[in-house]
């Protein structure tokens, strides 16, 4: 056992004495030591209740004969960080979380890990750390928030951001705005739509690293506490049978996750995170594989913001197992793979079926025959860019319009709020990539403002930053190379015509190669936006979004 390094032998008497200082007993030290990595805090709605989830996990570990040891992890609330300097820290925090998981597990010789995250970057950050370590691990998230209510309808956080745009456009008054802000988020849990947090929690199920129900059982349900206890018991079986993270996360399970990603209509951020997880697991994965899977995987769900249903509805309809069962009908997932339950995917989903076709369509009646994510290429995205196709209105799948160019999100949102963006425009927001931002801010404020102003079906946005899972419309992010890295998005001029063809995976600036070359020769890069603190270091160490915005490897220096 790994924990023998801190609990066994005469030489480890000093180590044991420090355990005894904390009240551990000899009996506890004779059992496997399980790190329970908890992101509980009092600043994230998705994490406010993780103390209860953590205690349930610890109970499960004890029931199965292990010694649970809680250690902390940080977590940024993307919604609270949105629209100001704080959002620059969100994606970079993923790397800190992965590093901290590695640090705590290695320093204290844990035999296995139960990862207790819930929100956006925390989930992939923890999984990245586990994949890097390659020790037994189970993910047990905190579960989704219930949908809120506004104007007699079920809603979630994306409606709140859109309400700001509606207020700015004079569509609603301050009373309605206040009604919305007090009703959209009714309690604890990850925000109720198919945003990044819920996307990654569902994809952990499809990867096999989490138990069935992880992505969809509501945070307030007693079933969530029971799931946490079962996760604590499951890690003991994985330790006993020496089933490690990379036994579960492999090339085939990544493809299973991609199939579910396309069927569920997950956040475009899932592209960044699956690339990063694959990298830590030593699995080759590039953007071409996303389009390969999208081309053959039907989109079965239009959860908020793409449609009116929420994660609680997905859960009632059968959850991720029901989606997997539909995909299995066309051989789109591998049923033979081992999972954190100790059983195969096929065994896990035996008997699963779609209980409500309003939330999950059948494989024979999909929203579209292609998946929810599309990768585009063109002369301003030579290394690709990403769009959540399932959240794009049909009339915007093909669009051509004049560029409205902004060198920051802040400048763009001012123009939108001041009604300077009109039907047909293509809003370009650059110098917001991993390096240029730095930190690749989410652009939920601009997309939501346009949606609230009823412009989401006539205006497109492109950026070398990224969009929230709560964004809808023709919101095209992760443009690579980014402007700060010499990418052609930095050469676009106000009024240039940009042509977007999502079905044909194309995005083109209608400017000749000769003109682009001339612009490049005359180009001068702006000064870095951040020159102090760890974000300055991050901007020098981070790789391109097409690689998942991972940190550069040792041999790249």
């Amino acid at each position: 056992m790994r924990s023998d390094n801190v609990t066994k032998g005469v030489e480890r008497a000093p180590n044991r004495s420090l355990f005894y200082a904390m009240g551990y007993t000899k009996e506890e030290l004779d059992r496997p030591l399980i790190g329970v990595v908890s992101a509980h805090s009092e600043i994230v709605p998705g994490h406010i209740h993780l103390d209860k989830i953590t205690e349930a996990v610890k109970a499960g570990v004890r029931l199965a004969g292990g010694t649970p040891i809680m250690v902390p992890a940080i977590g940024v609330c993307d919604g609270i960080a949105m629209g100001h300097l704080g959002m620059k820290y969100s994606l970079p925090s993923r790397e800190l979380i992965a590093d901290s998981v590695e640090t705590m597990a290695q320093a204290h010789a844990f035999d296995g890990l139960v990862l207790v995250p819930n929100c956006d970057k925390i989930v992939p950050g923890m999984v990245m750390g586990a994949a890097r370590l390659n020790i037994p691990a189970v993910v047990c998230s905190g579960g989704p928030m219930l949908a809120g209510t506004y104007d007699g309808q079920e809603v979630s956080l994306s409606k709140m951001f859109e309400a700001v745009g509606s207020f700015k456009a004079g569509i609603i008054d301050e009373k309605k705005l206040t009604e919305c802000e007090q009703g959209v988020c009714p309690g604890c849990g990850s925000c109720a739509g198919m945003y990044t947090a819920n996307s990654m929690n569902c994809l952990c199920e499809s990867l096999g690293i989490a138990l069935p129900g992880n992505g969809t059982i509501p945070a307030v349900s007693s079933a969530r506490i029971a799931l946490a206890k079962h996760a604590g018991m499951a890690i003991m079986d994985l330790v006993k049978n020496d089933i490690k993270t990379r036994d579960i996360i492999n090339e085939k399970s990544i493809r299973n996750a991609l199939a579910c990603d396309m069927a569920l209509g997950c956040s475009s951020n899932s592209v960044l995170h699956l690339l990063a997880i694959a990298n830590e697991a030593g699995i080759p994965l590039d953007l071409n594989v996303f389009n390969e899977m999208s081309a053959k995987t039907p989109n079965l769900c239009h959860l908020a913001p793409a449609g009116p249903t929420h994660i609680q509805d997905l859960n009632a309809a059968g959850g991720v197992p029901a989606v997997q069962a539909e995909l299995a009908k066309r051989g789109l997932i591998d049923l033979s793979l081992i999972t954190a339950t100790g059983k195969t995917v096929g065994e896990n989903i035996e008997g699963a079926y779609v209980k409500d076709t309003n939330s999950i369509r059948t494989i024979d009646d999909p929203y579209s025959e292609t998946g929810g994510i599309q990768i585009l290429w063109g002369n301003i995205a030579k290394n690709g860019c990403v769009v959540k196709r399932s959240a794009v209105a049909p009339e915007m799948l093909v669009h051509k319009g004049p560029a409205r160019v902004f060198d920051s999100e802040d400048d763009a949102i001012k123009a939108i709020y001041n009604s300077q963006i009109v039907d047909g425009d293509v809003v370009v927001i650059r110098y917001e990539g991993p390096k240029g931002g730095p930190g690749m801010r989410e652009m939920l404020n601009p997309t939501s403002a346009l949606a609230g102003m009823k412009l989401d079906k006539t205006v497109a946005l492109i950026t070398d930053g990224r969009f929230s899972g709560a964004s809808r419309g023709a919101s095209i992010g992760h443009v690579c190379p980014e402007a700060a890295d010499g990418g052609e998005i930095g050469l676009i001029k106000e009024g240039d015509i940009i042509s977007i063809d999502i079905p044909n995976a194309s995005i083109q600036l209608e400017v000749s190669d000769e003109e682009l070359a001339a612009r490049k020769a005359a180009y001068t890069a702006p000064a870095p936006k951040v020159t102090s603190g760890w974000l300055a270091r991050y901007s020098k160490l981070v790789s391109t979004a097409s690689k998942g915005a991972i940190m550069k490897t040792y041999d790249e220096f």
Side-chain angles (χ1 to χ4, degrees):
M1 301 289 285
R2 283 166 49 92
S3 58
D4 289 354
N5 289 305
V6 294
T7 61
K8 297 293 189 293
V10 173
E11 296 84 358
R12 299 307 176 207
N15 309 64
R16 292 193 298 274
S17 72
L18 294 169
F19 278 98
Y20 294 141
M22 294 180 281
Y24 289 95
T25 66
K26 180 181 183 302
E27 290 79 8
E28 287 175 302
L29 298 188
D30 286 340
R31 298 176 175 182
L33 302 185
I34 305 301
V36 181
V37 187
S38 175
H40 172 246
S41 75
E42 296 181 349
I43 193 59
V44 188
H47 293 184
I48 192 72
H49 65 304
L50 291 188
D51 54 339
K52 297 176 178 62
I53 303 297
T54 300
E55 285 303 317
V57 167
K58 290 167 65 178
V61 171
R62 291 191 185 100
L63 282 168
T67 297
I69 301 175
M70 190 280 290
V71 294
I74 64 167
V76 170
C77 177
D78 277 20
I80 294 175
M82 195 73 66
H84 61 96
L85 175 66
M87 181 46 70
K88 293 181 184 288
Y89 287 87
S90 174
L91 182 61
S93 74
R94 186 189 70 182
E95 312 310 309
L96 293 181
I97 293 162
D99 290 350
S100 68
V101 169
E102 174 192 358
T103 299
M104 297 303 283
Q106 295 286 59
H108 305 105
F110 293 142
D111 296 305
L113 297 172
V114 181
L115 309 170
V116 188
N118 209 24
C119 291
D120 293 29
K121 312 309 165 298
I122 301 89
V123 181
M126 287 192 184
V127 176
M128 288 164 63
R132 185 186 302 170
L133 290 163
N134 195 29
I135 63 176
V138 178
V139 172
C140 180
S141 77
M145 185 185 294
L146 295 177
T149 55
Y150 168 64
D151 224 16
Q153 296 180 329
E154 281 193 356
V155 295
S156 50
L157 184 64
S158 55
K159 178 61 70 175
M160 184 68 252
F161 280 90
E162 292 176 14
V164 174
S166 296
F167 177 77
K168 294 281 188 180
I171 296 171
I172 64 172
D173 59 18
E174 189 171 353
K175 182 179 179 181
K176 294 297 291 184
L177 184 70
T178 301
E179 177 189 337
C180 189
E181 71 179 81
Q182 293 180 351
V184 295
C185 295
C188 66
S190 47
C191 296
M194 187 52 82
Y195 311 146
T196 306
N198 291 323
S199 293
M200 294 311 302
N201 285 326
C202 287
L203 293 182
C204 282
E205 271 194 64
S206 55
L207 278 170
I209 197 69
L211 305 187
N214 178 74
T216 61
I217 296 173
V220 296
S221 171
S222 61
R224 177 59 59 175
I225 297 296
L227 180 78
K229 292 177 181 177
H230 282 296
M233 290 184 265
I235 189 61
M236 296 306 299
D237 285 336
L238 295 183
V239 170
K240 177 183 177 181
N241 295 308
D242 196 30
I243 299 174
K244 300 182 176 69
T245 299
R246 294 191 198 178
D247 296 324
I248 294 171
I249 299 178
N250 52 50
E251 190 167 359
K252 290 180 179 179
S253 69
I254 287 284
R255 285 182 172 266
N256 276 3
L258 286 172
C260 284
D261 193 339
M262 300 305 165
L264 289 164
C266 290
S267 165
S268 58
N269 284 313
S270 64
V271 176
L272 284 175
H273 300 324
L274 287 174
L275 285 167
I277 290 168
N279 173 72
E280 295 288 0
I283 300 163
L285 181 66
D286 62 37
L287 292 178
N288 291 294
V289 180
F290 287 82
N291 272 5
E292 175 194 331
M293 294 301 296
S294 182
K296 63 184 181 182
T297 309
N299 177 226
L300 306 181
C301 301
H302 269 191
L303 295 141
T309 53
H310 296 89
I311 304 299
Q312 67 197 55
D313 304 309
L314 177 63
N315 186 64
V320 174
V323 173
Q324 292 175 304
E326 288 301 306
L327 295 174
K329 292 177 182 178
R330 290 194 187 174
L332 292 170
I333 60 171
D334 190 325
L335 300 176
S336 69
L337 305 181
I338 195 69
T339 71
T341 65
K343 300 177 181 179
T344 65
V345 175
E347 290 172 325
N348 285 346
I349 68 172
E350 186 175 353
Y353 67 98
V354 175
K355 301 174 183 177
D356 181 3
T357 54
N358 290 317
S359 299
I360 307 171
R361 289 196 175 184
T362 65
I363 199 80
D364 295 321
D365 182 33
Y367 284 100
S368 67
E369 287 292 341
T370 52
I373 298 288
Q374 182 79 36
I375 310 298
L376 314 181
W377 281 273
N379 61 355
I380 51 172
K382 292 181 177 178
N383 294 336
C385 56
V386 180
V387 63
K388 184 173 179 176
R389 177 176 180 164
S390 59
V392 179
E395 56 267 43
M396 287 298 291
L397 290 171
V398 177
H399 180 77
K400 180 185 294 188
R404 304 297 310 281
V405 182
F406 304 94
D407 287 346
S408 71
E409 177 192 9
D410 310 270
D411 291 343
I413 196 66
K414 287 177 186 176
I416 293 169
Y417 284 161
N418 290 325
S419 302
Q420 294 171 10
I421 304 301
V422 300
D423 290 344
D425 284 347
V426 178
V427 176
V428 177
I429 307 174
R430 59 196 183 189
Y431 300 105
E432 291 286 6
K435 177 179 178 180
M440 206 178 183
R441 287 196 286 183
E442 288 184 345
M443 307 294 166
L444 181 55
N445 279 340
T447 59
S448 298
L450 290 173
M453 294 174 173
K454 310 299 182 185
L455 292 172
D456 57 301
K457 296 181 180 179
T458 59
V459 172
L461 294 92
I462 67 170
T463 182
D464 52 9
R466 59 197 176 92
F467 292 108
S468 166
S471 294
R472 61 186 173 98
S475 304
I476 300 166
H478 311 189
V479 171
C480 292
E482 62 174 293
D485 211 23
E488 282 73 12
I489 189 174
L491 307 179
I492 301 172
K493 292 184 177 181
E494 186 81 8
D496 283 348
I497 300 300
I498 296 175
S499 179
I500 300 164
D501 187 343
I502 294 173
N504 288 303
S506 173
I507 182 167
Q508 292 288 333
L509 178 67
E510 296 192 353
V511 168
S512 69
D513 292 345
E514 292 77 15
E515 171 62 17
L516 272 181
R519 292 183 187 182
K520 198 173 190 72
Y523 173 79
T524 301
K529 292 179 180 178
V530 176
T531 56
S532 63
W534 81 272
L535 282 184
R537 298 197 302 272
Y538 175 85
S539 69
K540 294 181 182 298
L541 299 175
V542 70
S543 69
T544 174
S546 62
K547 293 183 178 180
I550 57 174
M551 305 304 283
K552 293 177 181 176
T553 58
Y554 182 81
D555 58 7
E556 291 180 276
F557 294 103

